[in-house]
Amino acid sequence: DLHTAYRRQRQMCIRDRLQIERSYNCFDWLTVDILTRWQKLKYLKLHRSTITISSAYILGQTCSKLISIELCGTDDNSATVVAIAQHCSKLETLLISPNNLTWLSLSSLSDKGLPLKHLYFTNSVIPNIPDPDIAMRCAHALSCIQYLYTGIINVNTIPFCIPYMTRLNSVHFHLNCVCYMPPVSYTHLT
């Protein structure tokens, strides 16, 4: 029935949440035309879906009230996070799970002056931050990390990150957590 379908679509357009699961090409059908109807969209959750640079641009242009994004996909990377930082100006919460983030994504989240309050890393790695100056550039994003669930820790990064991770309240390490330790020189005592 056309009337029922129209009513269902209209109900979806007045909601403020959208959750998409297992749709690798969701932005092939989630077009500008459809997103502009979601004027009240505040929360977007994509599980096993991919958000691209162009789709982040579309989200930023059409969903002006978007404050929360959860990305639980394997193809998301630093370029995705940078695009979200550039185009989603009201973002307060970002949950990301990919392993291939760099410090550039944290720097971008810090540099854009987003009202970011909550940053969650799940099944991911704190990006390698090579020195204190870069850690300072990432300070705002690092201070928003409240939850860390990881299986890989780069011990070289920890001294630069920890001072800025002031809101960190939960850390969970995988059972087989891998720590990358710096090479140690041993001296033999005789």
Side-chain angles (χ1 to χ4, degrees):
D1 180 40
L2 184 60
H3 181 68
T4 305
Y6 176 76
R7 188 170 350 125
R8 193 172 295 135
Q9 182 182 14
R10 179 131 171 88
Q11 284 176 335
M12 289 177 66
C13 294
I14 61 172
R15 294 185 182 149
D16 67 351
R17 298 175 192 276
L18 175 61
Q19 179 171 335
I20 300 172
E21 294 200 31
R22 293 180 177 86
S23 176
Y24 294 101
N25 61 346
C26 64
F27 282 94
D28 289 349
W29 57 267
L30 199 58
T31 62
V32 172
D33 183 46
I34 291 172
L35 283 172
T36 53
R37 296 177 190 169
W38 284 70
Q39 296 174 3
K40 296 182 180 184
L41 184 64
K42 291 183 180 180
Y43 307 95
L44 177 64
K45 183 186 276 189
L46 298 175
H47 284 263
R48 294 196 179 129
S49 301
T50 301
I51 189 168
T52 62
I53 295 170
S54 60
S55 53
Y57 173 77
I58 290 169
L59 282 172
Q61 297 302 311
T62 56
C63 303
S64 60
K65 296 183 181 190
L66 192 61
I67 60 170
S68 177
I69 297 176
E70 291 186 26
L71 298 175
C72 296
T74 55
D75 295 333
D76 304 313
N77 56 31
S78 284
T80 302
V81 175
V82 170
I84 289 170
Q86 290 175 340
H87 302 296
C88 300
S89 61
K90 294 184 179 178
L91 193 65
E92 294 178 8
T93 301
L94 179 60
L95 182 142
I96 47 181
S97 64
N99 285 327
N100 52 352
L101 294 178
T102 67
W103 64 267
L104 292 170
S105 55
L106 290 178
S107 177
S108 180
L109 289 169
S110 293
D111 293 344
K112 295 299 174 186
L114 297 173
L116 194 64
K117 297 176 186 171
H118 311 287
L119 184 58
Y120 300 91
F121 286 96
T122 63
N123 294 326
S124 61
V125 181
I126 297 175
N128 185 25
I129 297 177
D131 62 57
D133 292 335
I134 291 175
M136 192 179 309
R137 285 181 56 192
C138 301
H140 176 64
L142 287 170
S143 72
C144 295
I145 297 174
Q146 294 185 354
Y147 179 77
L148 176 63
Y149 182 84
T150 187
I152 302 173
I153 300 172
N154 185 333
V155 178
N156 294 326
T157 295
I158 298 299
F160 304 133
C161 294
I162 293 297
Y164 296 106
M165 298 171 84
T166 56
R167 294 188 204 160
L168 185 64
N169 59 30
S170 180
V171 178
H172 179 85
F173 299 110
H174 291 244
L175 181 61
N176 299 320
C177 187
V178 177
C179 289
Y180 292 118
M181 303 291 285
V184 178
S185 61
Y186 296 97
T187 56
H188 297 289
L189 297 174
T190 56

